[in-house]
Amino acid sequence: MELPKFILGDNTDYPNAIFIIHTEFPRFIINLEDDEVEWFEEFDQHDEKELETETENYIQQATEFYDREIARYDD
C-alpha cells in the first residue's frame, strides 16, 4: 500500500488538537494546536543537528497540507 506523505487526524479525547501525521522519513506526528512534535525515529547526534534545521520546514509543510485540506472541504 502506498501512503500519502501527510495524513490529517483527530481524536475526541483531544478536542482542540489537530494532528498531522508525516509518513515518510523522518516519521512524526505534529499537533498543530501547539506545534508539539512526536518523532517515530531514533536519531543519532549527526541526525539531530540536521533535524534541528529541518524541523521548521516540516512544520511549515504540515501546516500547508492542513490549509490545503481545509480549503478543499470548504469548496
Side-chain angles (χ1 to χ4, degrees):
M1 167 177 32
E2 187 174 331
L3 295 174
K5 183 175 182 175
F6 291 104
I7 299 172
L8 181 62
D10 67 355
N11 185 304
T12 57
D13 292 333
Y14 303 90
N16 296 320
I18 300 167
F19 298 103
I20 304 295
I21 300 97
H22 183 255
T23 63
E24 297 176 359
F25 184 84
R27 296 171 302 150
F28 64 87
I29 293 178
I30 182 170
N31 180 348
L32 294 181
E33 177 186 24
D34 56 13
D35 290 339
E36 185 176 346
V37 177
E38 181 71 30
W39 301 98
F40 292 119
E41 312 292 350
E42 295 288 327
F43 301 107
D44 63 22
Q45 211 170 30
H46 172 73
D47 291 336
E48 286 181 12
K49 287 190 178 286
E50 184 176 331
L51 191 61
E52 287 175 11
T53 61
E54 291 297 320
T55 299
E56 186 175 327
N57 186 36
Y58 292 134
I59 292 171
Q60 180 64 33
Q61 289 177 16
T63 302
E64 289 170 0
F65 165 76
Y66 172 76
D67 291 343
R68 186 192 80 190
E69 291 299 298
I70 295 305
R72 289 178 176 176
Y73 283 116
D74 292 340
D75 287 344

